[in-house]
Amino acid sequence: MPGLFDYLPLAAEGSPVPQPGMRVQVSFGPRVRVGMIVALARESDQEPERLKPILALLDPQPLLGADDLELILWAADYYRQPPGEALFSALPARLRRAEPPLAPVEPGQPGWRLTALGRDQAPGTRARRQAEIQRLLGDYPDGLGEAALRSRLGEVKTPFRALAARGWIEPCHLLADEPVKTPESGPELNPRQTEAIAAVSAALDRFQPFLLEGVTGSGKTEVYIRLLLRVLEAGGQALLLVPEIGLTPQLRRRLARRFPGRLAILHSALNATERERAWQAAASGAADLVLGTRSAVFVPLPRLRLILVDEEHDLSFKQQEGFRYSARDLAVRRAQRAGCPLVLGSATPSLESLRNAATGRYQRLELPERAGAAAPPAIGLLDIRAQPLRGGLSAVLIRLMREQFDTGNQVLLFLNRRGFSPVLTCHACGWVGDCPHCDARLTLHLADNRLWCHHCGLTRPIPLACPQCGGLDIRALGQGTERLAGELQALFPDIRVARVDRDSTRRKGELDRLLAAALAGDYPLLVGTQMLAKGHHFPRVTLVGILDADNGLYGSDFRAPERMAQLVIQVAGRAGRAERPGRVVLQTHHPDHPLLQTLRRQGYPAFAAAALRERREAGLPPFTHQALLRVEANAREASLGWLRLAREAASQLGGPRIGLFGPVPAPMERRAGRYRAQLLVQARERPELQAFLALWVPQLYGIKGQGAARWSLDVDPQEMY
Ligand code: ADP
Ligand code: ZN
Ligand code: ZN
């Protein structure tokens, strides 16, 4: 079982003294590997002749402080992951290898500024990237560094060359590390914003979690900014975590304007060097504010006084591969250790956080109204039972879309693919396959053409006709964005379609480009996944269509309705933000579904309350706590067999208070030729689950599998794929 290992200090006389947080090179088995010192000990349990000396010390200074080490090791323990994996995934990529840390950036670094000629030119509308550069440099008369330019605008080589060739910009050397300009001031606060800010400000010297529940556009970001200003003025550092898609150019620019020269941004679009520099700016205390995605929760911040988590319900805070952790949950732990407040913000808080607010663990702050003028759009349900569909669209929706295009408006179409697992439904009557033994839907497995229940393991052949109405049109719910975009193009040949999803935006800068073009009105029709739903304002959008809400109602994952409701509300927040009123249309086979009706009539808080009651009755999180053991192997029997051994070991340890469900094949059973299966562990109380895992996980390392079985454990799993 991987863990911590003992080594002797460097052998040579006068060698530097190792300290916790420094990386070392050591021989490990037959190989030389990079490790990190986590503690100095006087003694070892190892036999003296087996102890080997450290080969080399890689860092002159510790990379991680005592608090950072403590947080990461705590996380490794909580999530039952090898400490080495946790420690190294918290470091910038280069430092995971035996590379020396980058030297700090010297003042006087090269940069760019507008020439006198360039200052007189109004930014054009055609060359968008050039205009962006002009506008940004216009804010910094003394110039801006190349790294800063890249971190704000992405790759800018080509537009740069064009501007330089025209003589509008010129190279220069910066006087300070980052040029300073006068920060912009914000709007006058409304009373609810003032209240929220006062509540958090009163807790700046202690640990206190807040849940900031504010409808889209209610001014949450403005609240964050004021709190950040306060903390930074007092000499503290702050961390703002956002979901991957939350890092839109809009937010980046807004913060850069309010915190000139004090902001370090950490996101996946940066290259390794840029990331490491931002990381070091935070760790050295040179940057006051870190804006980052998930892994930024581990960035060292010696003067940390405030943590903000925006869109706290978002799934991208959960790492789903390797070191599986929840950045949101770790942020709570980190704030507790640092003795500082934490604000979790969302228009659609997770049921976990709502429950914490209900029990008084979190203090609730509310912004119930939009800050600007726009009213929230109406949500309508479109009954598509027995309707002919083209590309998944009903005739009514197609007509509504055409009307918008004809009047120069924009349309957004959403596919809810998150946690996608196909469920079988009858198109004539809306029947869905249920398990007779569980309160659960049967999941379609195309690999063996059967339906499976993921709770009890029941399996059935796929019916040839609908068991309810005898209809023959039985189909799987859900389709992909790519296919949809193609079909839309055929339906509306004269309309430009932009597709926004993980695949279409893989190229660096592509998401920014698509969003800017969408904002400029280049694409009357936008099609996408969750990515399109958050943080963006599309003032020209007047119609939003959600095509497969049923997948959310009847997905095999018990969180599917929560995700669907969050998506609907987030999506509704995109429409009609300016003077044009918006409307949201949900296509469904279940217009009478109680959760849909509650959501439509009473909004998210009422929906969440109903969903929480259901969870309590069903004994599901947040009223219980789960861990999911996943296995993949070359054959179904190998993966299920491995899990049966794991289950045997568990039943000898667990006692009556630990529930074991499975093994069952994973919802997506075959991936890349491997068979996946899972075993769910559930306990009433978190400490019970932790105590059980502490005994069980070491045993898992000893189970000999067949068919190249590989396993992983997911504590507090968010998706049951
Ligand atoms: P959220 O983060 O809740 O979506 P934002 O903070 O982005 O909301 O605010 C939405 C819009 O309203 C922004 O354009 C913002 O500048 C503006 N805004 C925020 N607070 C106020 C206020 N008190 N008065 C006027 N406009 C405001
Ligand atoms: Zn069942
Ligand atoms: Zn039917």
Side-chain angles (χ1 to χ4, degrees), residues 638-651:
S639 57
L640 291 174
W642 193 95
L643 284 175
R644 277 194 283 271
L645 294 176
R647 187 186 163 118
E648 238 165 67
S651 42

Side-chain angles (χ1 to χ4, degrees), residues 435 437-438 453 456:
C435 174
H437 304 298
C438 310
C453 169
C456 69

Side-chain angles (χ1 to χ4, degrees), residues 432-653:
V432 259
D434 287 315
C435 174
H437 304 298
C438 310
D439 190 11
R441 312 289 152 194
L442 297 175
T443 301
L444 180 63
H445 286 245
L446 286 174
D448 58 0
N449 264 320
R450 293 182 78 81
L451 300 171
W452 277 85
C453 169
H454 284 268
H455 301 269
C456 69
L458 171 128
T459 160
R460 289 266 161 91
I462 294 172
L464 296 174
C466 170
Q468 192 166 289
C469 75
L472 294 178
D473 191 1
I474 296 193
R475 43 175 93 170
L477 289 173
Q479 63 171 343
T481 29
E482 191 174 358
R483 205 180 96 199
L484 176 63
E487 287 172 6
L488 287 168
Q489 202 60 84
L491 267 172
F492 302 102
D494 54 326
I495 294 297
R496 289 187 72 194
V497 181
R499 178 182 138 222
V500 179
D501 59 28
R502 208 161 294 273
D503 300 324
S504 75
T505 57
R506 214 172 284 283
R507 245 186 42 226
K508 187 170 168 172
E510 186 62 12
L511 177 61
D512 289 2
R513 191 194 69 76
L514 273 174
L515 291 175
L519 210 58
D522 294 353
Y523 296 102
L525 179 51
L526 310 172
V527 183
T529 55
Q530 275 79 352
M531 256 192 168
L532 206 45
K534 292 162 209 162
H536 317 300
H537 303 219
F538 297 113
R540 291 165 208 252
V541 168
T542 47
L543 174 66
V544 173
I546 300 174
L547 300 189
D548 53 357
D550 293 354
N551 187 26
L553 290 175
Y554 292 116
S556 61
D557 192 322
F558 69 86
R559 285 192 176 84
E562 176 187 352
R563 303 284 176 223
M564 188 271 301
Q566 288 164 347
L567 179 74
V568 169
I569 299 296
Q570 297 282 342
V571 163
R574 301 305 115 216
R577 292 181 62 111
E579 64 285 356
R580 308 182 204 205
R583 94 192 256 193
V584 177
V585 171
L586 251 105
Q587 291 196 152
T588 176
H589 289 92
H590 304 273
D592 303 323
H593 194 287
L595 283 179
L596 267 187
Q597 286 295 342
T598 307
L599 183 64
R600 192 176 79 83
R601 294 219 190 97
Q602 293 160 269
Y604 187 80
F607 163 87
L612 270 172
R613 276 194 299 277
E614 283 190 2
R615 295 270 187 95
R616 184 198 290 275
E617 277 157 27
L620 288 168
F623 300 95
T624 51
H625 303 276
Q626 299 181 330
L628 189 66
L629 181 60
R630 297 189 179 93
V631 176
E632 55 166 64
N634 293 338
R636 165 182 288 177
E637 243 338 281
S639 57
L640 291 174
W642 193 95
L643 284 175
R644 277 194 283 271
L645 294 176
R647 187 186 163 118
E648 238 165 67
S651 42
Q652 285 165 18
L653 298 170

Side-chain angles (χ1 to χ4, degrees), residues 213-220 346-348 366-371 376 569:
E213 203 177 345
V215 299
T216 11
S218 61
K220 292 186 293 297
S346 176
T348 53
E366 284 171 285
L367 303 178
E369 277 152 33
R370 283 192 167 190
I569 299 296

Side-chain angles (χ1 to χ4, degrees), residues 148-169:
L149 277 162
R150 262 201 310 277
S151 79
R152 284 177 213 188
L153 299 174
E155 198 41 68
V156 286
K157 270 210 190 76
T158 320
F160 244 82
R161 257 189 245 123
L163 286 169
R166 260 185 241 153
W168 292 7
I169 62 172

Side-chain angles (χ1 to χ4, degrees), residues 341-369:
L342 161 96
V343 180
L344 303 176
S346 176
T348 53
S350 63
L351 297 187
E352 278 83 0
S353 295
L354 285 171
R355 166 109 180 107
N356 279 323
T359 59
R361 243 192 109 208
Y362 297 172
Q363 188 179 330
R364 190 183 214 139
L365 306 169
E366 284 171 285
L367 303 178
E369 277 152 33

